[in-house]
Amino acid sequence: QVQLVESGGGLVQAGGSLRLSCAASTSGRPLSSYAMGWFRQTPGKEREFVAGISRSGGRTYYADSVKGRFTISRDNAKNTVYLQMNSLKPEDTAVYYCAADYTPLTMRVTTLPAEYEYWGQGTQVTVSS
């Protein structure tokens, strides 16, 4: 079982930065057993993959829309995953969700929401123009 709690969202002007955090509480398996992902969703749209990171952090993957602006990282000792968001645009406005994918594959990163077993409640990010 994994509980995920996102924080760090808020209101920022276009061009600004935010860092989201995802604090994980796990029972049984350590966080290093899970690949992690960040997704976002706006009203009326499907949940969209933003970034993912493999179990040890050795592999990362980004949506084209955020490549070069966002950076995902993790600290397994602190049970926390981060999403550094720079050069924010109004189109980045969404609720951002953290998700965990239990996998024995050390380099796996999936973009499919259905592959993630655990989800946080989300944190709102609003970028004003």
Side-chain angles (χ1 to χ4, degrees), residues 63-102:
D64 287 343
S65 58
V66 306
K67 204 172 293 183
R69 300 188 297 122
F70 290 11
T71 303
I72 188 171
S73 61
R74 66 189 296 163
D75 186 336
N76 287 337
K78 295 183 178 179
N79 279 357
T80 305
V81 181
Y82 305 97
L83 185 68
Q84 178 67 44
M85 305 187 296
N86 299 329
S87 302
L88 282 160
K89 304 175 181 179
E91 51 263 43
D92 294 319
T93 295
V95 177
Y96 283 71
Y97 297 91
C98 174
D101 165 35
Y102 173 70

Side-chain angles (χ1 to χ4, degrees), residues 13 17 40 60 84 88 111-112 118 125 129:
Q13 287 190 331
S17 299
R40 65 188 182 187
T60 57
Q84 178 67 44
L88 282 160
T111 64
L112 301 175
Y118 302 100
V125 171
S129 57

Side-chain angles (χ1 to χ4, degrees), residues 33-55:
S33 299
Y34 298 85
M36 301 296 294
W38 285 97
F39 291 77
R40 65 188 182 187
Q41 191 169 23
T42 54
K45 292 190 176 181
E46 292 187 353
R47 200 161 288 190
E48 173 191 24
F49 172 81
V50 175
I53 188 167
S54 61
R55 287 171 42 181

